[in-house]
Amino acid sequence: MDQKYQSRAAKQKNDLSNRLNPYSVAIYKKTLDFDDRKRKHDLCIIWNTIYYIVKTGCQWRMLPSNYPKWQLVYYYYSKWSNLELFDLLLTNLREEVQVKRGQNAEASLGIIDSQSVRWGNNRSLNGFDGNKKVKGIKRYVVVDKNGGLLAVMVSVANFNDSKAALLLMRTLHYLLVSVKVILADGGYRGNVIEEIKDKFGYIIQVVLRSDNKEKLFKDGLLKERFLGLIMTEDFAEIMNC
C-alpha cells in the first residue's frame, strides 16, 4: 500500500493531452503502455517508490515492505531511464515553468557552475580540490535562468573544470537543449571557450566578481543576484529535491 511519505507525489487529475504537446503525449503513452496489460500495482505507486529512493537514498533492497518488490520497481526505473523518459519529463516541466512566467518555452540562457563536497567511504570517487581544500567529489550543473536543471555531472574533486565543461556541452548538444549563451565563472576561462563554440555552437560568457550585474541581467529575477549565489541556491534545491 502506498503510504503518504513526504516523497509521495499526488495524482494529476488533468489529462496529459491538456498539458503537453502531441509529440510528448505520444511518447508517454507508448512508453508507459497504459492499456497494454493489467497491472498489480498502479504506475503512480511505482513512480512514488522511485521518488522515495531518490529522496531518501536508501538501497533498493531496503525498500519498506508496503512498497512493491524492489525488482519490479527497478525494472521500470531501468526501462524508463533507457528510453530517456526522465529527460523528456524534465524538459516538459521546465518549459511549463517558462511559459507560466511569461517567457519562451525554450531557454536561451544557461548558467554553469560546480561545487566540491566531502564524500563518504567510496575511495574510488575521492579526489582533492586544491582550490577549495576539499577531499571528495565535485558536482557540476547547468541550469536555466529560473534554476531549471539542464544537465548534471559528478566527478572526483580534482577533475578539471574545462574538461567537465566539454562533457556537459556534449550532453546539452545530445539533448538538443536550445540555450545559446552560458554564463560561467572565471574557472572556465581559456581555450575551452573557443573549443566549445566551434564544436557545439554555445557561447560561454565569463562573469567575474568585478563585472556589473546590472548590465548582464535584464530579467528581474537575476538583476540583484550574483552568479555564485544563484548556483549555491540551485545546488541546495537539487540536492534536497
Side-chain angles (χ1 to χ4, degrees):
M1 183 177 179
D2 186 21
Q3 295 183 358
K4 292 187 177 181
Y5 292 99
Q6 289 185 349
S7 59
R8 184 177 182 273
K11 289 185 177 181
Q12 294 293 334
K13 296 182 179 180
N14 297 333
D15 188 77
L16 285 174
S17 58
N18 296 329
R19 304 178 59 192
L20 306 175
N21 59 66
Y23 174 74
S24 298
V25 173
I27 293 180
Y28 281 130
K29 289 184 176 180
K30 182 179 180 180
T31 303
L32 298 177
D33 297 329
F34 287 118
D35 303 320
D36 183 49
R37 59 184 175 84
K38 292 184 178 180
R39 293 183 172 84
K40 180 179 180 180
H41 301 285
D42 190 284
L43 287 179
C44 186
I45 297 178
I46 301 295
W47 174 265
N48 282 332
T49 309
I50 296 174
Y51 194 15
Y52 176 88
I53 293 175
V54 173
K55 181 68 177 180
T56 63
C58 78
Q59 298 176 359
W60 286 98
R61 292 171 175 78
M62 297 296 290
L63 276 175
S65 59
N66 55 287
Y67 277 127
K69 292 184 178 180
W70 73 268
Q71 294 92 333
L72 177 64
V73 180
Y74 183 79
Y75 163 78
Y76 280 104
Y77 169 76
S78 179
K79 177 183 178 181
W80 295 344
S81 295
N82 293 332
L83 292 172
E84 300 181 353
L85 182 65
F86 297 118
D87 294 321
L88 179 62
L89 177 62
L90 180 62
T91 299
N92 287 325
L93 291 174
R94 194 171 58 241
E95 291 178 351
E96 187 173 334
V97 171
Q98 297 262 122
V99 172
K100 285 184 178 181
R101 295 189 174 185
Q103 304 164 0
N104 293 329
E106 296 184 347
S108 59
L109 177 70
I111 306 171
I112 182 175
D113 204 358
S114 63
Q115 182 185 56
S116 297
V117 294
R118 299 184 185 279
W119 197 236
N121 296 322
N122 192 341
R123 297 181 180 179
S124 63
L125 290 179
N126 274 333
F128 184 74
D129 185 345
N131 293 326
K132 302 294 179 63
K133 308 300 180 184
V134 173
K135 182 180 180 181
I137 62 170
K138 186 179 289 188
R139 303 185 292 221
Y140 297 87
V141 295
V142 181
V143 299
D144 61 20
K145 63 182 180 180
N146 299 316
L149 187 63
L150 298 173
V152 61
M153 190 184 84
V154 178
S155 72
V156 292
N158 57 331
F159 196 69
N160 186 274
D161 287 344
S162 298
K163 294 181 180 179
L166 287 171
L167 293 174
L168 285 168
M169 296 307 110
R170 183 180 300 174
T171 300
L172 293 179
H173 191 262
Y174 172 77
L175 295 174
L176 302 178
V177 177
S178 59
V179 295
K180 299 176 181 178
V181 179
I182 300 176
L183 304 182
D185 60 25
Y188 298 90
R189 289 178 293 183
N191 297 331
V192 67
I193 295 179
E194 290 299 324
E195 189 174 354
I196 289 174
K197 184 177 180 180
D198 293 339
K199 287 185 176 180
F200 308 107
Y202 300 124
I203 299 174
I204 303 296
Q205 183 174 346
V206 176
V207 181
L208 301 177
R209 291 184 180 273
S210 58
D211 288 341
N212 187 347
K213 299 186 291 297
E214 293 292 335
K215 294 181 180 179
L216 287 172
F217 305 117
K218 296 180 180 180
D219 191 285
L221 178 67
L222 299 182
K223 243 179 186 180
E224 300 296 334
R225 303 172 69 185
F226 181 67
L227 174 63
L229 176 60
I230 299 169
M231 296 309 299
T232 300
E233 295 182 355
D234 287 335
F235 272 121
E237 287 293 328
I238 292 169
M239 292 303 115
N240 288 287
C241 66

